[in-house]
Amino acid sequence: MEPSGVSDEKRPTVDLVKDKNGTDQVLLKNPKGASVKANSKPPHPVRGGIPICFPQFGTRGSLEQHGFARNKMWLVEENPPDLPSFDSTDKAYVDLVLKPSDEETTRIWPHSFEFHLRVSLALDGNLTLISRVRNINSKPFSFSIAYHTYFSISDISEVRVEGLETLDYLDNLFDKERFTEQGDTLTFESEIDRVYLNSRDVVAVFDHERKRTFLIKKEGLPDVVVWNPWDKKARALTDLGDEEYKHMLCVNGAAIEKPINLKPVPLSSSFHKEPAMEAWRLSLWTLFSLYLIISGAKADPSQDKRALLEFLTITRPTRSLNWNETTPLCKNWTGVTCNHNESRIIALRLPAIGLNGQIPPNTISRLSALRVLSLRSNRLSGPFPMGLAGLKDLAFLYLEDNDFSGPLPLDFSVWKKLVSLNLSNNRFNGTVPVSLSGLKRLQSLNLANNSLSGVVPDVLSGLSSLKEIDLSNNNLHGPLPSWLLRFPPSSYQGIGDDVTHFQPPPEPPTRKKPKGVTKTVFLLIVISVAILLLAVLAFVFALCYLRRKVTIVKDHKLQKKGGMSPEKFDSRMEEANNRLSFFEGCSYSFDLEDLLRASAEILGKGTFGTTYKAVLEDATSVAVKRLKDVAAGKRDFEQQMEIIGGIKHENVVELKAYYYSKDEKLMVYDYFSSGSVASLLHGNVLLALVRLVSGLILVTGLVGAGNRGENRVPLDWETRMKIAIGAAKGIARIHKENNGKLVHGNIKSSNIFLNSERYGCVSDLGLTAVMSALAPPISRQAGYRAPEVTDTRKSSQLSDVYSFGVVLLELLTGKSPIHTTAGDEIIHLVRWVHSVVREEWTAEVFDVELLRYTNIEEEMVEMLQIAMSCVVKAPDQRPKMSDLVRLMESVGNRRASLETKPEKEASETSTPSET
Ligand SMILES: O=P(O)(O)OC[C@H]1O[C@H](O)[C@H](O)[C@@H](O)[C@@H]1O
């Protein structure tokens, strides 16, 4: 907040003026540490310094933003009440008091109070604020308070905050929704406006460039607000310079989530004459102090470095790491995060790098300051690494998807700070340790897919913070303890088979079987389809001709614009010195230059960018997604890519590599030659139309029965079922990632492909988190969007379920989510299906192509019920993806069991009829 060259008239001054009653007033002019545009005329708060938010924070009440205290004139208090514990040695201090008795304040906040504030500055640079609020009402009142401290920093991108890790916070940018901080430190790459709850009493702000640390110490203030408006909001604030957001950061000690309830001081206790603490017991006493530490250069944590190098030598990862004895570990080493003064390693993340064998003893166990350890998706084996018992600060432990075996440790109480524990997909056996019940901070426990046996210990009900648990697919047996039943059935699948695990979704309005599809009706449909087909044939030819033209023009434009031109990328590469980041197990051997030299063809334009097919010199084809409107900074982007790339599942299209620079963000996937489910279902006519009309017409027509592109092979029922089940499995897997919080955010048939077994395989996941908030799309995608999603960043797992339901309806009806009738009427698929089913014409909804198969009506109706349970309006009434997988599999299994029946019976199942 301090401009570098401060001119004389901008130097801070103090003016003493008198108000209309003759009382002295102190006015700060150009206060240091405030915005150059700060308006320091009462009743306006100064943007800078430490405005006191009281008795309300933000707009969480009926008062103006942040209450009135910051807008009032405070008096210098000549005879402040005693503050017995205050040591005035080496300190200068001032006492201020606020006792508003004016009519306006009493009207909006009808409570009598005194707010005494002592501000002291010590020789060592420690600035302390002690607030004492006294209720002189006859009734208790509640209030919130925040010391809205503006720190002056070198550059917001160079600063980090520590002390907030693992805390829950309310995000003001997401309707005060509650999240958990996953990072070890907080860095800044976009707007932030959060209230961290129940924080420790010390929080630190590190300014690397200035080598300066602010320590914020607080007492009686459970919360911490972190705020930076970033560019757009800064421009909207008239009293903040457009660029000043870069040099400020607000970190406030506060009491917000639970307002403070203050009882009145009894009249008998004389406030001024009774300095003893007794009188204050009924008042509030908060203390807020700021230390400034100018720090020097940091040493490398050499002990930790040696431990890691030993670990690396023995575990021989297949993916090479840039760990080198001579490079600074805290700055360069992949997967390593250090603490603020770079004296210890606090996080080690080495997912999916091909680590082998047992974790060598006396290596990682020496990293005694470790808070996060992720060695997931490697080939680590042997017993549970007991050496980890020495890591007392461990909060996140991820060892899933390895080959560990043997029993789990008996005593989990050594990891008192554990928040998340994932040991799934290993070969652990023995019982579930009862000592887990002592982990009071544990929020997520995943022991799924192991060989654990015995019963689920009842004492685990003591896990008071637990938000998610997965014990499925072990050899555990019932009875199921009652506390477990508050979690979804998928969490305990396979335990206590005598218990009903799944509540089927509510029945759709009708269950009428499609008995009305008689041969005559069928013939009529076929004839009309044939006529319709003829009618559009000429049009299709015309389109094909145009489409070829359009593609060429577009590619040409792309080169011209520099989209994939090698020259431009070459220079960018030099500038950014960035490389393609490949994921473990990726067999591709090209680099960015090769990729950019490849011939590119547009495959499609989606919500988040354009996808190209790139054919490399060695004839490898890959799909490259070029993202537009990425809002995340490099670090967040990379983190998200690591999450996405870490998902290895047969029903999720694997992200092979990514690239991030200032101007360009790319994602590389395998290329699926058979095309997307959208093209299999609707043919390429739709795509051609979309391209042709892009920007002119929002809704594409001609996707009704019959108008489905030339040479399209009809999709049989079995393939449609496999697409649906596969895609559901893929989405269910995605929903498990990132502690069960990952959202796909863009489910539609053009993002689903067929894997080698011809099951659905989903792509384009997890991008909403890194993109700018987008308004609801006004195109084809709109048909997939759940009604509650007002912008793309608000997508949730339940909105994914909705979108998946629309894909199911698409598979069942053969119609696009938004299409037009011959009379140009715009049809919304979900509404249309509802109306048809309501009129008891259920049979009418199904794709005519499916009518050539016999004995599938029952299944189609069941799948329709499932689809309709996904597209209900109320998100919390939609089933979970894992439940959907089970439901659909049971529909599919029934057919499979019929198919394995003797030949005569089997011939009556899902095979095309002779008609
Ligand atoms: O502009 P002001 O009223 O000073 O408020 C500035 C900021 O204060 C807090 O940090 C709030 O959480 C933000 O939502 C608000 O924008």
Side-chain angles (χ1 to χ4, degrees), residues 45 47 57-58 65-66 70 148 150 172 193-195 225-227 233 237 250 252:
R47 197 169 291 286
F57 178 79
Q65 162 115 323
H66 295 326
R70 64 176 180 167
H148 206 298
Y150 283 74
N172 289 336
D193 190 353
R194 298 177 182 172
V195 180
V225 178
V226 182
W227 180 64
K233 250 188 208 151
L237 294 170
C250 287
N252 320 342

Side-chain angles (χ1 to χ4, degrees), residues 107-137:
R107 191 178 57 76
I108 54 173
W109 209 64
H111 307 287
S112 305
F113 72 96
E114 291 172 6
F115 191 136
H116 300 265
L117 177 68
R118 175 163 296 178
V119 185
S120 76
L121 183 62
L123 271 182
D124 61 4
N126 180 16
L127 176 71
T128 306
L129 281 81
I130 301 173
S131 291
R132 291 177 294 167
V133 180
R134 187 173 185 240
N135 181 350
I136 46 178
N137 257 344

Side-chain angles (χ1 to χ4, degrees), residues 377-395:
S377 311
N378 280 294
R379 293 176 214 142
L380 293 166
S381 55
F384 185 92
M386 277 319 295
L388 303 187
L391 308 182
K392 307 276 184 240
D393 283 339
L394 215 52

